[in-house]
Amino acid sequence: LSRNTSMSGPVEQLDNVERVLEQYIPAAELAEVRRVMYGMNQGAAPAIIEAPKKVSEMAERFGFEVKASRFKAGPEQLRAPRIVRVGIIQNSIVRPTTDPIHAQYQAIQDKIEVLIDAAGAMGLNVRCLQGTWHMPFAFCTRERYPWVEFAQSAESGEATQFIQRMAKKHNMVIVSPILERDAAHGDTIHNTAVVVGNNGNVIGKHRKNHIPRTGDFNESTYYMEGNTGHPVFETAFGKIGINICYGRHHPLNWMAFGLNGAEIVFNPSATVGGLSEPMWSVEARHAAMTSNYFVGSINRVGTESFPNEFTSGDGKPAHKDFGHFYGSSYFPAPDASRPPGLPSTPDGLTVAYIDLDLCRQVKHKVKLQMKGRTHKYVQFPDH
């Protein structure tokens, strides 16, 4: 257990469920527990891979965790394996939210640069950062300023230029979720994921489809629902979709990316314990299984405190934070298997070596799309 401070005072945060299982369950029974909890990939649990020495040394020096695993597909006669190395990052902010805006941004960028370099040292092909990675998750406050000053152009902003440099440096596709300012359309703000190709080119962007208005998630104060639909981006390393944050609670949102051909869908999020933690290990895994793609499910870590107290019309006392971001980022596969995720408190990088052939193999075996009869549902009224 680790001790964190939140709006309700000091709390004990379970850092890692896997470590608790290892501590209290005998080895023979633990294997069966893991089979039930994590599923099987080609008849065995996803293999755990040791990080290279260089990456382990970086992790120890800069204080982050690394987890890596491998998913296999069955052999085929006419298709070679399509192996892709995919990674996701969870991290805390660095400087107090009272510091100057650009100083906060720069400190986070410096941290992310180290984590991307670590991913590059592991030969990653694709990686995704957490939701609005370049700023504190200030949307709980309902204050427009100074937080909208973090918003940037998706095509030419400082965050995108940084990601372009890193993508080109490591020959890596990088998904960069940011707060976007669309200067061409009245300085409209959006919660947006920018997809940068391995040559440093901006492939495209996707804007968040579903905006929460619950508890301290007051995001509709800042931006409204996106207008980009459910795009799937063709990259050098597979077809990628992004289901941003709150969209994971909407099954049809997941389904649409699958129907549009996604092989990997990232879910860059920012969510706190008590509100969504019981759902966290279920939603992305269910989507991977029912839509037959891999999912990278990402949550930030830490407790972010803001200068002014805020309330959210829910009868609770005014407070300056809205709880601990519990991390626990993980990769589920289309066959419903998954390895253990990252812990709930440290910065971390989790890597999956995946075979994209598994997407089609599971699709043919389980036949959910074949039997889905989606045309039967298109006439439902949109209330």
Side-chain angles (χ1 to χ4, degrees), residues 292-311:
N292 303 141
Y293 47 54
F294 290 90
V295 176
S297 195
I298 316 156
N299 188 23
R300 63 174 61 199
V301 292
T303 301
E304 300 172 2
S305 182
F306 297 94
N308 302 314
E309 291 186 332
F310 55 87
T311 61

Side-chain angles (χ1 to χ4, degrees), residues 97-367:
T97 58
T98 50
D99 279 9
I101 293 296
H102 194 265
Q104 292 184 57
Y105 165 78
Q106 188 62 54
I108 298 172
Q109 178 180 298
D110 291 344
K111 173 185 281 194
I112 294 299
E113 183 167 3
V114 171
L115 288 163
I116 293 178
D117 283 340
M122 293 189 72
L124 259 67
N125 306 119
V126 184
R127 76 166 316 147
C128 183
L129 307 180
Q130 67 191 22
T132 55
W133 66 266
H134 64 308
M135 63 178 292
F137 201 75
F139 311 121
C140 53
T141 67
R142 290 183 290 174
E143 300 168 337
R144 296 284 288 181
Y145 281 91
W147 315 119
V148 294
E149 294 184 70
F150 280 102
Q152 304 180 16
S153 165
E155 291 76 21
S156 59
E158 185 174 3
T160 296
Q161 291 183 43
F162 161 67
I163 294 299
Q164 288 179 291
R165 293 194 301 272
M166 299 304 291
K168 190 172 184 179
K169 174 181 179 181
H170 293 294
N171 189 34
M172 185 189 302
V173 173
I174 302 179
V175 179
S176 173
I178 64 168
L179 190 65
E180 177 196 5
R181 179 182 299 279
D182 186 352
H185 298 89
D187 279 334
T188 305
I189 304 294
H190 291 281
N191 188 323
T192 300
V194 184
V195 181
V196 177
N198 56 307
N199 294 314
N201 55 309
V202 175
I203 296 175
K205 65 185 178 184
H206 172 55
R207 291 168 171 165
K208 186 173 180 177
N209 280 327
H210 298 277
I211 309 301
R213 299 166 181 83
T214 179
D216 288 336
F217 288 87
N218 296 307
E219 295 173 52
S220 59
T221 303
Y222 301 85
Y223 43 78
M224 296 301 289
E225 287 75 11
N227 56 2
T228 53
H230 298 86
V232 171
F233 300 96
E234 187 88 42
T235 78
F237 305 109
K239 300 174 182 178
I240 295 174
I242 308 104
N243 183 357
I244 301 174
C245 200
Y246 186 68
R248 72 183 178 280
H249 300 318
H250 299 267
L252 294 179
N253 205 41
W254 288 109
M255 183 180 73
F257 291 109
L259 293 176
N260 284 342
E263 297 170 312
I264 306 165
V265 173
F266 292 108
N267 177 227
S269 299
T271 188
V272 294
L275 180 67
S276 66
E277 199 164 8
M279 298 180 274
W280 181 253
S281 63
V282 177
E283 290 172 312
R285 192 175 180 187
H286 178 265
M289 177 187 69
T290 56
S291 292
N292 303 141
Y293 47 54
F294 290 90
V295 176
S297 195
I298 316 156
N299 188 23
R300 63 174 61 199
V301 292
T303 301
E304 300 172 2
S305 182
F306 297 94
N308 302 314
E309 291 186 332
F310 55 87
T311 61
S312 296
D314 54 9
K316 294 181 180 179
H319 43 277
K320 291 189 175 183
D321 72 80
F322 67 142
H324 177 74
F325 296 104
Y326 54 80
S328 307
S329 304
Y330 71 105
F331 272 107
D335 61 4
S337 66
R338 57 156 293 188
L342 286 168
S344 63
T345 54
D347 294 344
L349 164 66
T350 184
V351 175
Y353 295 15
I354 66 177
D355 187 342
L356 293 178
D357 286 354
L358 187 62
C359 299
R360 191 164 77 178
Q361 290 177 10
V362 172
K363 186 177 295 185
H364 288 334
K365 180 179 180 180
V366 183
K367 307 183 189 70

